[in-house]
Amino acid sequence: MTIPPYNVGLVQINNSFSGANYLPYSVGLLQAYAEKNLTTPQNYNYLDPIFKRIPIQEAIKHLSGVNIAGFSLYVWNERLSMEIMRQLKKDYPDILIICGGPQVPDHSEQFLRDNFFIDLTVHGEGEPTFLKLLETYPSRDWTNISGVSWISSDGSFITNSKSERMKDLSVLPSPYLNGVFDSLMEKNPASEWLILWETNRGCPFPCTFCDWGSAIADRVYRFDLERIYSELDWFSKNKIEFIFNCDANFGILPRDVNIARRAAKNKDTYKYPKALSVQNTKNATERAYLTQKILAESGLNKGVALSMQSVYDPALKSIKRDNISLETYEVLQQR
């Protein structure tokens, strides 16, 4: 029987650009939330996360000796992550391999059967679920944990009901402010770091083609402004040049104008960040225009996308999406 401390290895392989790498925000959130809420946090030891493409054998070596390996799957890392998991399970059969992220199917029976080396899939927001998986690791009893699926020892497929969305995002510690990435940054002093950043979660639009909106089509929940501003200060003081904002609709909330202004003020004060990339809200066009104007005038963002999903009415009906009017489009284009 394995006794604590249990070693945890987290993997979020991001794209890199000219020597610049994204800090692994998703798995950083998992670790920060677990460290805050575990009843016996001293029983868990976290390796520095794998955050970029490295040779498979190098990844296996890094993860050797871990009891629990958590992978965040995206379209750009799925195949590499899968091969790391396959060889990891071959070399260390007792390791618990957990997968979450957008590439995990909601109905994952075939996914699990095709990829026998994966022990558990996580659906929806992962922080509370990952915490419970760590707490129940010694017993390996997942029956009362919502939002997970697995193949049981008798070969049957089991999937528990999906977790409810988190409505109070203040319970999520910031991995930037909580020091989760400090060790990683210290060990990679030559790396230029890029940032993934949330100011809210959710999307009210039910677009059929979108794995986000079609899965949620619900309220937008907000991180506290104090946290958001503190993170912006952390980015500036750590000389982060590029921030990718992960909000589905930046500009949808009135406060987004103030967030844009704060980012512009930080650039003026600290010279960082140098760029803030956001995804425009689909409606609230006046506010979207104002936020983009602030970002453009400060040099944080140099281009604005005005998009149409389709100009074919039956297609728009099928995908549950409306365009802005041509008149509004022309006004925005001119402005």
Side-chain angles (χ1 to χ4, degrees):
M1 180 179 177
T2 306
I3 59 174
Y6 306 119
N7 293 319
V8 182
L10 297 173
V11 181
Q12 181 188 343
I13 299 171
N14 295 317
N15 288 325
S16 302
F17 305 93
S18 303
N21 302 287
Y22 281 103
L23 284 170
Y25 175 67
S26 295
V27 297
L29 281 168
L30 299 181
Q31 180 177 334
Y33 187 77
E35 287 179 330
K36 177 183 177 182
N37 293 287
L38 281 165
T39 53
T40 55
Q42 68 275 12
N43 287 351
Y44 299 85
N45 175 57
Y46 302 89
L47 278 65
D48 288 331
I50 295 176
F51 62 94
K52 64 178 180 179
R53 293 179 178 274
I54 57 176
I56 291 170
Q57 288 307 313
E58 186 178 333
I60 300 299
K61 181 179 179 181
H62 179 79
L63 294 168
S64 64
V66 304
N67 306 103
I68 303 160
F71 287 76
S72 188
L73 296 186
Y74 294 83
V75 66
W76 54 81
N77 70 27
E78 181 180 18
R79 292 183 65 184
L80 177 57
S81 297
M82 287 291 194
E83 186 57 24
I84 294 171
M85 286 185 274
R86 188 186 68 80
Q87 294 196 34
L88 195 62
K89 181 65 91 170
K90 180 181 178 182
D91 293 348
Y92 306 99
D94 292 333
I95 193 172
L96 179 70
I97 294 180
I98 305 168
C99 283
Q103 292 304 105
V104 172
D106 288 341
H107 306 287
S108 59
E109 178 174 5
Q110 196 59 49
F111 178 80
L112 284 165
R113 295 195 187 280
D114 291 342
N115 302 289
F116 59 90
F117 42 83
I118 298 174
D119 296 296
L120 289 159
T121 53
V122 176
H123 312 283
E125 291 169 304
E127 293 90 358
T129 303
F130 185 69
L131 168 67
K132 293 173 185 175
L133 291 174
L134 291 183
E135 289 179 328
T136 55
Y137 169 74
S139 67
R140 297 209 177 196
D141 180 6
W142 329 119
T143 52
N144 295 317
I145 301 177
S146 57
V148 295
S149 302
W150 71 97
I151 303 294
S152 69
S153 57
D154 65 7
S156 59
F157 170 70
I158 301 173
T159 185
N160 292 344
S161 59
K162 198 169 183 177
S163 304
E164 290 187 9
R165 285 189 61 204
M166 300 180 69
K167 296 179 174 61
D168 180 11
L169 299 185
S170 67
V171 302
L172 290 176
S174 167
Y176 301 118
L177 304 178
N178 276 34
V180 167
F181 300 129
D182 288 357
S183 172
L184 188 65
M185 296 173 75
E186 289 169 5
K187 292 175 182 176
N188 296 273
S191 181
E192 177 188 340
W193 296 107
L194 311 173
I195 291 294
L196 300 165
W197 187 44
E198 292 178 295
T199 73
N200 63 59
R201 284 187 180 179
C203 179
F205 304 112
C207 308
T208 306
F209 58 82
C210 177
D211 190 49
W212 192 340
S214 63
I216 298 173
D218 199 357
R219 288 186 57 189
V220 174
Y221 296 107
R222 315 172 188 192
F223 287 96
D224 294 337
L225 265 179
E226 181 180 351
R227 169 205 177 106
I228 291 168
Y229 292 161
S230 295
E231 287 181 328
L232 271 173
D233 291 344
W234 189 93
F235 303 152
S236 298
K237 292 173 183 177
N238 281 277
K239 297 183 176 180
I240 302 297
E241 292 200 12
F242 180 81
I243 300 171
F244 185 90
N245 177 263
C246 303
D247 300 353
N249 302 280
F250 191 78
I252 196 171
L253 301 174
R255 70 176 197 166
D256 291 347
V257 175
N258 291 328
I259 293 172
R261 286 183 176 135
R262 178 59 180 262
K265 179 181 177 182
N266 273 35
K267 182 180 181 183
D268 184 59
T269 302
Y270 300 102
K271 310 306 178 187
Y272 294 91
K274 296 188 181 297
L276 171 58
S277 176
V278 302
Q279 326 312 308
N280 290 336
T281 183
K282 284 70 177 173
N283 293 337
T285 51
E286 183 62 32
R287 194 155 54 241
Y289 167 73
L290 182 55
T291 55
Q292 289 295 335
K293 188 172 187 290
I294 293 166
L295 296 175
E297 289 179 345
S298 64
L300 285 168
N301 200 8
K302 297 180 180 178
V304 179
L306 294 176
S307 304
M308 291 186 178
Q309 309 298 348
S310 174
V311 293
Y312 184 53
D313 288 339
L316 292 172
K317 182 178 179 180
S318 294
I319 64 176
K320 302 182 181 71
R321 192 72 183 98
D322 293 321
N323 291 321
I324 58 177
S325 70
L326 284 175
E327 291 78 12
T328 301
Y329 187 98
E330 289 173 354
V331 169
L332 286 172
Q333 187 179 42
Q334 290 298 321
R335 295 179 75 179

